[in-house]
Amino acid sequence: MLLSMAGGGSGRGRPQAQPGAERGPTPQSRGGTARRQFHGDRRGGGGGGRFSSAGPSRPPPPELHQAMPPAPSQGSAFSSHEQQFQQLPLHGEASSSHGISKSMRFPQRPGTGSLGSKCVVKANHFFTELPDKDLHQYDVSVIPEVKSRARSRDIMRQLVELYKVSQLGGRLPAYDGQKCLFTAGPLPFKTKSFKITLSEEEDGGGGGGGQRPEEFKVVIKFAARANLHHLKLFLEGRVAETPQDAIRVLDIVLRESPSARYLPVGRSLYSPDLWRRHSLGEGLETWRILLRAFVQHKWGYHLILVNQLPLLLIVTNMSSTAFIEPLPVIDFVSQLLNKDVSARPLSDADRVKIKKALRGVKIEVTHRGDIRRKYRISGLTTQATRELTFPIGDRGTRKSVVQYFQEKYGFNIQHTTLPCLQVGNPRRQNYLPMEVCKIVEGQRYFKRLNEKQITALLNVTCQYPQDRERDIIQTVHHNAYDDDEYAKEFGIKISQSLALVDARVLPAPWLKYHDTGKEKDVLPRVGQWNMMNKKVVNGGRVSNWACINFSRNVQGGVAHRFCHELAYRCDFVLEPILPVLSSRPDQVEKALKERFTDAMKILKPQGKELELLIAILPDNNGSLYGDLKRICETELGLISQCCLTKHVFKTGKQQYLANVALKVNVKVGGRNTVLVDALTRRLPLVSDVPTIIFGADVTHPHPGEESSPSIAAVVASQDWPEVTKYTGLVCAQTHGEELIQDLFTERHDPRGGTVTDGMIKELLLSFYRANGRKPERIIFYRDGVSEGQFLQVLVHEVQAIRNACDCLEPNYQPPITFVVVQKRHHTRLFANNHADHRSVDRSGNIRPGTVVDTKICHPTEFDFYLCSHAGVKGTSRPAHYHVLWDDNRFTADELQSLTNNLCYTYARCTRSVSIVPPAYYAHLAAFRARFYVAPEKSDNDSMASGAGGRGARGTRAPGNAATSSAAPVPVKPLPALKENVKRVMFYC
């Protein structure tokens, strides 16, 4: 049996390689600050220094201060940044760009790591030789103003074609599509005006036909010289501030030629010709991407290329490289609805679906011969085409759309039962029948993909490492950067070979299982292991459980046998408290509440609770899963485990049951495995003093869901020194807001004083209740932050953590290490020799534990790439870790080893995972909380931001601190998690 009721003992120790010699003294010893040990039972409540449960307005009793450590001295690691950080804005000002101190510096790299076996890997970075040219910048003004970058580029290309030799001194300028122009040397003037004539690009509204010529006045004026000297000093590590202006110049130069050949969308370049198109269904297709971006490196200037690789491989943004097929609109609608739209009238649901899919899409008309005028769709008519009329002149007479097209163009509309498209200005009556419209090529689809589209997408985009490396190199040669006229003009030379990078493979940690199993501990091989002959280190106890079957395909007897097998596998009481209940999926709320009530009638007189619900769901269950989780976790206080119908009938389902049992165990308070080094107190900068490890993430609604809030989630370890159990909190906040608003909040109490609250405070108190000691060290892994937000996140969130600590006890400021975890980057690592089986896993990817902290990393700051998982399908993406604050002064080996080891403690599987588990758990918690948000009611209704108006506990309301100069849209709190749900890893 998998689960064990008994607790786990400490396993036999395993030797660990000693860290490098670069580690300095600990923060407590470094400045002479004596560490004051807290006494008493770690899991008890007595003896240690205690937190007060309220803010400063209600101070704790004097005895709660007795064990508090003294304030950091001037020599401590914390106070080494004190003077600088005290100037930062407080919580309420943190997100304002005006309050950010530009003098802030991220921690310097504490040397490079030495642990692990050395190897060489290849990266999709290409060495680039910096130009030795005299670069000049010019301001560009276009009159009348042009908002489209593509249109602006057309104007500039025309200007260069006409005046390069005669007026520009033979220079070939690089243009950013907006206000800046760069040249390799001066132009023969300081200011000059040009007149350019282009055919007008019409887009909806108005009458008339054809593309009329349009005249523009272009003024080019000298602005400054673009000095690359600062960039060279930065690459040599002699200056700390990133020279963004110089980087921008080089980026613009190398985008010029590809922008003419491909479709530029943001920083990406797309082309349907780079790769055979693949249909995703319902009128969507994929294009390959040529993505180029500059990054700064110590040993040279590199160009990252992710060539011929769909951006859809970024799993967190699957829809970003789906394109709408350039189909006739009627064909698109037929694919969207999966039926012949001319056979029967459209239903109201069909109209809503079409309107959502086509709103904002650009189309061109096909009924006017060579005149292909373009429009943007603003809506759909409620009437059929045959019923539509519009006013003619001022006499109040009206003409039908069918009659107009017959008289004006000689076009007979066939599909008169279909609605018309409304185009151009939505306040004007401008109708186009669907059959005269075709979707313009090259339009990205930003909305959410369905499951079939995602599956098709993954099948199309998945490439094994060797194939991907080959495609990248082929595309580099195909684009012939050596012959690029702009690269030659500006003196930029790009290598044609992937960069070779020194790497190391960190050893896997030993894992502890229960002593009563045949195998008490295990050393994972190539990032994975199994549960054969093992028992979980701490088994959660389940005596009272129930099952509801929502699947019509699963008969009662089959459901009972399945639950019996699962209960046996989990080693809890085999029979449910009540017989298995069968219910319809559309009656989920009624079934849940009735079954819960019936169970509690039996259990409550005995002083017991219903501890677990097993739910069998149809394979295609729509909103059933989300509704069930919301009701169980926010209304009933019930832990649940859902199983799909296909798994109930799965042959040889023991592996599936084992995986489910792992999830069930942590949901009911157990632990699956722990690190041997944690039990033997040998985790660097974790085992020596009580340490809490946080994970945080913010998830944003899908594009098109503008009225839905963003969800922030924070989890924190509770079981020091093992650090495997995490309590999680979630909070709704302003749509699109990346900074976590509810880390620390304070409000004025009408009865006097100030009341403080927030996620950090609640999780610190929870840690104290679980361990009987306060955290003396904080490690914070923050997911989902881009480089442009580093400084804002540092200022806002580290300050919020400090404020939360200070409100618990005066001068309580444990040292903080704040690490950003990034998966949305385009760096890929390949084995130097694909034929060497010792350097690759089964999928051909680099081995788990591969870490890189040279060449392709920041010149001076503390960051590294870590591929902590074994590849399963496609090319593995290493996680990028960047340290933004480090009071604890980790060495490279300490932080890299800790991070890699934690990746083996993920509760849901017997594999190491790609990002550190606290960040992973925060992502899962935020995703779960999305189900607590009320769904969109109709096409036009705004989506409610939360259910009910009750206060949040576990799910939290945003704090009162403003995060921008504009007043945020009020966000309703999420429904509160029940207390028993908050205490366990319900999100697993």
Side-chain angles (χ1 to χ4, degrees):
M1 286 181 276
L2 177 67
L3 301 191
S4 167
M5 303 301 179
S10 60
R12 65 179 182 268
R14 297 288 175 181
Q16 182 185 39
Q18 292 300 313
E22 294 172 319
R23 175 180 173 183
T26 62
Q28 285 75 10
S29 64
R30 185 173 290 117
T33 303
R35 175 179 295 134
R36 182 171 301 178
Q37 296 292 339
F38 296 107
H39 304 287
D41 179 16
R42 178 172 62 82
R43 300 200 183 276
R50 303 176 181 176
F51 288 136
S52 60
S53 59
S57 60
R58 290 189 287 176
E63 63 270 17
L64 299 188
H65 293 280
Q66 292 175 0
M68 277 304 303
S73 70
Q74 290 302 311
S76 70
F78 175 81
S79 61
S80 64
H81 302 290
E82 188 87 7
Q83 185 175 2
Q84 182 184 27
F85 209 92
Q86 281 178 343
Q87 299 172 359
L88 296 181
L90 296 178
H91 177 71
E93 306 170 321
S95 61
S96 171
S97 59
H98 300 291
I100 294 176
S101 170
K102 292 187 177 180
S103 64
M104 289 293 297
R105 293 288 179 266
F106 302 134
Q108 299 294 292
R109 184 182 301 281
T112 55
S114 59
L115 280 178
S117 57
K118 295 182 179 180
C119 63
V120 175
V121 296
K122 288 178 284 189
N124 59 331
H125 293 218
F126 294 79
F127 288 100
T128 303
E129 186 177 325
L130 284 174
D132 189 16
K133 294 277 187 175
D134 189 18
L135 302 186
H136 285 63
Q137 177 180 339
Y138 293 83
D139 291 336
V140 176
S141 300
V142 179
I143 305 170
E145 184 180 0
V146 176
K147 295 183 179 179
S148 166
R149 284 197 182 192
R151 187 68 167 167
S152 297
R153 290 182 186 278
D154 289 340
I155 294 170
M156 188 55 64
R157 288 191 186 103
Q158 179 85 326
L159 188 152
V160 172
E161 183 179 337
L162 293 175
Y163 301 111
K164 176 182 176 182
V165 176
S166 61
Q167 303 290 332
L168 302 180
R171 302 284 183 197
L172 184 63
Y175 179 49
D176 70 350
Q178 293 179 306
K179 301 291 185 183
C180 293
L181 189 78
F182 299 94
T183 60
L187 294 175
F189 55 80
K190 294 294 184 182
T191 303
K192 196 171 185 65
S193 298
F194 300 87
K195 287 187 178 180
I196 302 297
T197 302
L198 288 182
S199 58
E200 182 182 5
E201 181 183 61
E202 296 187 275
D203 183 15
Q211 291 188 324
R212 299 187 297 270
E214 186 175 10
E215 190 173 274
F216 298 93
K217 178 183 178 182
V218 181
V219 180
I220 299 177
K221 181 180 180 181
F222 175 75
R225 292 182 61 178
N227 192 347
L228 297 183
H229 177 68
H230 188 67
L231 174 59
K232 294 178 181 178
L233 294 178
F234 172 76
L235 297 176
E236 294 168 359
R238 295 164 61 184
V239 296
E241 186 174 352
T242 305
Q244 296 293 351
D245 291 341
I247 293 169
R248 180 166 166 262
V249 172
L250 299 179
D251 187 41
I252 290 168
V253 169
L254 285 180
R255 284 176 63 89
E256 271 290 354
S257 291
S259 294
R261 296 196 300 267
Y262 306 123
L263 172 69
V265 182
R267 295 187 60 81
S268 304
L269 299 168
Y270 298 88
S271 173
D273 303 323
L274 280 175
W275 190 37
R276 185 167 61 88
R277 302 183 189 194
H278 291 267
S279 175
L280 298 179
E282 297 188 8
L284 302 185
E285 62 182 7
T286 61
W287 289 11
R288 277 201 166 181
I289 176 176
L290 168 63
L291 190 142
R292 306 169 10 139
F294 276 115
V295 290
Q296 310 84 43
H297 303 282
K298 186 173 181 179
W299 283 270
Y301 201 76
H302 297 199
L303 173 67
I304 295 184
L305 291 174
V306 177
N307 214 338
Q308 294 200 25
L309 306 179
L311 193 57
L312 290 161
L313 285 172
I314 299 177
V315 179
T316 51
N317 191 17
M318 295 288 290
S319 64
S320 60
T321 51
F323 281 77
I324 303 175
E325 286 192 67
L327 299 170
V329 170
I330 285 189
D331 292 347
F332 174 87
V333 170
S334 296
Q335 286 194 26
L336 179 71
L337 302 179
N338 194 28
K339 66 180 181 181
D340 182 1
V341 295
S342 61
R344 64 182 65 180
L346 298 178
S347 66
D348 290 341
D350 290 338
R351 290 173 180 271
V352 170
K353 189 172 183 180
I354 295 170
K355 185 176 181 180
K356 286 184 176 181
L358 287 179
R359 182 185 292 157
V361 173
K362 205 169 187 178
I363 53 95
E364 59 184 7
V365 295
T366 59
H367 65 288
R368 298 172 65 179
D370 295 334
I371 301 174
R372 292 287 176 129
R373 191 175 177 189
K374 298 176 182 178
Y375 299 84
R376 195 171 298 276
I377 299 172
S378 59
L380 204 66
T381 62
T382 55
Q383 296 172 287
T385 301
R386 64 188 177 195
E387 301 169 358
L388 280 173
T389 62
F390 59 95
I392 298 293
D394 299 328
R395 299 181 179 179
T397 59
R398 303 182 69 84
K399 180 176 288 189
S400 72
V401 170
V402 174
Q403 181 184 358
Y404 174 80
F405 272 79
Q406 173 62 46
E407 294 176 357
K408 180 76 173 178
Y409 305 109
F411 186 89
N412 292 317
I413 298 174
Q414 302 296 319
H415 301 279
T416 58
T417 59
L418 293 177
C420 275
L421 303 177
Q422 290 181 273
V423 297
N425 190 330
R427 288 173 291 189
R428 296 181 57 187
Q429 292 180 336
N430 202 351
Y431 306 136
L432 285 174
M434 288 186 182
E435 61 196 271
V436 304
C437 301
K438 180 184 178 183
I439 295 172
V440 175
E441 185 178 58
Q443 297 180 79
R444 288 171 67 186
Y445 182 78
F446 290 97
K447 301 182 180 73
R448 186 185 313 189
L449 300 180
N450 60 37
E451 289 187 9
K452 290 184 179 179
Q453 290 169 334
I454 291 174
T455 300
L457 185 60
L458 291 175
N459 290 334
V460 166
T461 60
C462 184
Q463 278 186 301
Y464 286 108
Q466 197 166 355
D467 299 331
R468 177 162 296 190
E469 179 186 339
R470 183 192 63 243
D471 280 359
I472 291 174
I473 294 174
Q474 287 178 352
T475 307
V476 171
H477 293 159
H478 172 75
N479 284 314
Y481 293 110
D482 285 343
D483 296 328
D484 186 290
E485 57 179 345
Y486 286 92
K488 288 181 177 180
E489 172 80 10
F490 285 83
I492 300 175
K493 297 180 180 179
I494 303 172
S495 170
Q496 301 293 295
S497 303
L498 279 75
L500 293 176
V501 184
D502 292 329
R504 291 168 288 113
V505 180
L506 301 177
W510 281 90
L511 302 175
K512 173 65 182 171
Y513 283 91
H514 198 267
D515 288 336
T516 60
K518 291 183 180 180
E519 295 185 25
K520 300 178 182 179
D521 48 42
V522 63
L523 181 64
R525 297 178 59 85
V526 198
Q528 54 189 317
W529 63 103
N530 59 54
M531 288 299 298
M532 292 179 61
N533 302 321
K534 304 175 189 69
K535 292 185 179 180
V536 296
V537 70
N538 296 112
R541 183 180 295 273
V542 174
S543 300
N544 305 299
W545 59 278
C547 174
I548 302 180
N549 174 23
F550 291 99
S551 176
R552 296 178 180 176
N553 297 328
V554 180
Q555 301 303 315
V558 175
H560 182 269
R561 284 194 298 273
F562 174 79
C563 291
H564 187 276
E565 290 181 81
L566 181 58
Y568 178 82
R569 187 73 184 184
C570 295
D571 199 14
F572 51 65
V573 174
L574 297 181
E575 293 299 323
I577 189 70
L578 291 168
V580 175
L581 173 69
S582 294
S583 178
R584 288 167 41 187
D586 59 351
Q587 295 182 345
V588 56
E589 184 170 6
K590 178 183 177 183
L592 288 172
K593 292 183 176 180
E594 287 183 356
R595 180 61 15 157
F596 181 78
T597 301
D598 292 342
M600 291 308 297
K601 286 179 182 178
I602 300 173
L603 296 172
K604 194 169 184 180
Q606 306 174 35
K608 299 178 181 179
E609 297 290 337
L610 184 61
E611 296 160 330
L612 178 69
L613 172 73
I614 298 173
I616 299 175
L617 308 184
D619 293 333
N620 297 316
N621 53 74
S623 63
L624 173 60
Y625 176 85
D627 291 341
L628 185 146
K629 292 296 182 182
R630 173 181 53 81
I631 295 167
C632 285
E633 292 160 5
T634 67
E635 296 185 31
L636 303 180
L638 182 57
I639 300 300
S640 60
Q641 176 60 51
C642 296
C643 302
L644 294 177
T645 299
K646 62 183 179 182
H647 294 135
V648 173
F649 293 106
K650 192 174 185 179
T651 57
K653 57 177 177 283
Q654 292 307 309
Q655 182 61 53
Y656 169 74
L657 292 175
N659 291 337
V660 173
L662 292 176
K663 299 175 65 175
V664 170
N665 188 44
V666 296
K667 287 181 180 181
V668 297
R671 295 187 300 183
N672 295 335
T673 187
V674 297
L675 297 169
V676 169
D677 281 351
L679 293 172
T680 55
R681 302 294 183 95
R682 292 188 301 178
L683 281 183
L685 289 180
V686 172
S687 297
D688 54 341
V689 296
T691 300
I692 187 170
I693 300 180
F694 286 93
D697 190 21
V698 177
T699 64
H700 304 290
H702 288 273
E705 299 178 359
E706 284 76 13
S707 59
S708 184
S710 293
I711 304 293
V714 181
V715 303
S717 61
Q718 303 292 295
D719 59 337
W720 180 81
E722 291 87 358
V723 291
T724 58
K725 295 176 70 171
Y726 292 82
T727 289
L729 301 175
V730 289
C731 171
Q733 60 184 40
T734 307
H735 175 90
E737 176 60 70
E738 181 58 44
L739 304 180
I740 303 178
Q741 299 174 350
D742 197 40
L743 290 180
F744 174 78
T745 62
E746 56 184 357
R747 60 182 175 83
H748 178 70
D749 190 337
R751 294 170 294 182
T754 300
V755 177
T756 59
D757 196 8
M759 292 178 167
I760 300 297
K761 178 179 177 180
E762 184 167 345
L763 291 169
L764 289 173
L765 288 168
S766 177
F767 180 95
Y768 174 76
R769 286 191 292 267
N771 296 277
R773 300 178 67 177
K774 295 183 291 294
E776 295 181 42
R777 180 179 290 121
I778 293 175
I779 301 172
F780 200 101
Y781 287 100
R782 175 66 156 90
D783 194 10
V785 181
S786 64
E787 286 85 351
Q789 298 169 311
F790 278 5
L791 196 56
Q792 284 183 308
V793 168
L794 171 63
V795 171
H796 177 95
E797 298 187 5
V798 175
Q799 186 65 62
I801 297 170
R802 287 191 173 173
N803 291 344
C805 292
D806 191 62
C807 81
L808 289 165
E809 292 279 359
N811 299 320
Y812 172 61
Q813 289 294 342
I816 301 167
T817 295
F818 191 100
V819 186
V820 167
V821 187
Q822 293 177 302
K823 287 287 285 182
R824 295 184 184 183
H825 60 78
H826 302 288
T827 292
R828 301 292 184 275
L829 301 176
F830 306 98
N832 189 33
N833 181 4
H834 292 282
D836 182 4
H837 297 293
R838 295 172 299 177
S839 62
V840 295
D841 60 19
R842 282 187 204 171
S843 63
N845 281 287
I846 56 176
R847 295 179 72 83
T850 301
V851 63
V852 173
D853 58 3
T854 63
K855 289 192 177 180
I856 62 173
C857 296
H858 195 279
T860 59
E861 294 171 8
F862 190 3
D863 73 326
F864 57 91
Y865 289 95
L866 173 63
C867 183
S868 53
H869 65 297
V872 178
K873 190 177 182 181
T875 303
S876 298
R877 183 184 310 183
H880 184 224
Y881 296 87
H882 202 125
V883 182
L884 301 192
W885 195 263
D886 188 23
D887 293 329
N888 293 296
R889 296 188 183 177
F890 274 96
T891 67
D893 279 330
E894 287 170 340
L895 186 58
Q896 292 166 10
S897 178
L898 172 64
T899 302
N900 184 61
N901 289 351
L902 288 175
C903 289
Y904 286 80
T905 65
Y906 185 63
R908 303 210 304 178
C909 61
T910 54
R911 302 176 62 93
S912 59
V913 288
S914 58
I915 63 172
V916 70
Y920 209 143
Y921 293 146
H923 176 77
L924 292 177
F927 185 78
R928 171 64 58 81
R930 182 67 57 192
F931 294 126
Y932 307 159
V933 178
E936 193 171 15
K937 294 180 180 179
S938 70
D939 182 44
N940 295 319
D941 290 343
S942 61
M943 183 158 53
S945 297
R950 46 189 161 164
R953 296 176 302 172
T955 55
R956 307 184 60 85
N960 63 336
T963 57
S964 65
S965 56
V969 177
V971 178
K972 293 181 181 179
L974 297 174
L977 287 172
K978 295 297 183 179
E979 288 298 322
N980 64 313
V981 174
K982 284 196 298 181
R983 289 194 296 267
V984 298
M985 297 168 69
F986 67 93
Y987 43 80
C988 280

